[in-house]
Amino acid sequence: MKDASVRGGFGDLFAFVRQGEPGERLLPAALAIACTAFMLLLFYIDPKVNTYTYVPAEVIYVENWTADRTDEEILRDRWQVQCLKDQFALERREAMKELGRMSGMDVEQIEREAEAARLARGEVEVERPAGLEC
């Protein structure tokens, strides 16, 4: 080990490179350096790829009412919203019934059982105010 040195190692490397044709060893060395650099570049870029997560903007719908609305106006507006909800629920229920019929189910019996279960739980239909049209 006493004859080993960094300076002597580099001297041997340069002597080896100087032997033979100049392009004979430079091309493989250049390719090896390029491949290594490319792989290191990929390691550097990889953590930055596909890390963005799309977060949709939050949309808040606001309705403004005057502060001097009467209780009747407030209840009328609430019942109109409830009418819309009931219409959507009825459309969905009809679509589910049609799907049940297509699947061979007895939807009328299922509906009777569901109504009996609702009555057993004590759920009642709230009467709509007079003059309310859905």
Side-chain angles (χ1 to χ4, degrees):
M1 291 297 289
K2 67 179 178 176
D3 294 334
S5 70
V6 174
R7 192 166 150 189
F10 278 116
D12 287 344
L13 175 65
F14 290 131
F16 177 74
V17 170
R18 285 189 204 116
Q19 290 177 354
E21 292 291 319
E24 187 177 300
R25 290 186 182 86
L26 290 179
L27 182 62
L31 288 174
I33 291 171
C35 289
T36 304
F38 180 70
M39 290 189 68
L40 290 175
L41 178 70
L42 289 179
F43 280 122
Y44 177 75
I45 292 174
D46 184 52
K48 296 176 174 67
V49 175
N50 293 332
T51 58
Y52 178 73
T53 305
Y54 174 72
V55 179
E58 183 179 352
V59 178
I60 300 173
Y61 295 97
V62 178
E63 290 186 37
N64 292 329
W65 293 287
T66 60
D68 60 346
R69 290 191 326 154
T70 64
D71 289 343
E72 291 80 21
E73 290 174 333
I74 294 170
L75 288 175
R76 186 181 66 239
D77 288 342
R78 287 185 182 175
W79 277 111
Q80 287 175 349
V81 170
Q82 187 61 45
C83 282
L84 288 174
K85 289 180 181 180
D86 291 345
Q87 286 174 354
F88 290 136
L90 180 63
E91 289 174 8
R92 183 176 186 280
R93 196 174 314 121
E94 291 301 321
M96 291 298 121
K97 280 184 185 179
E98 186 63 30
L99 180 63
R101 284 188 195 97
M102 293 159 91
S103 301
M105 297 179 181
D106 185 8
V107 293
E108 284 76 20
Q109 178 187 356
I110 294 171
E111 192 172 6
R112 285 191 301 270
E113 291 171 0
E115 184 64 29
R118 266 194 300 276
L119 292 175
R121 285 192 304 263
E123 293 180 17
V124 293
E125 182 72 25
V126 178
E127 286 189 33
R128 309 252 178 211
L132 178 70
E133 295 180 15
C134 288

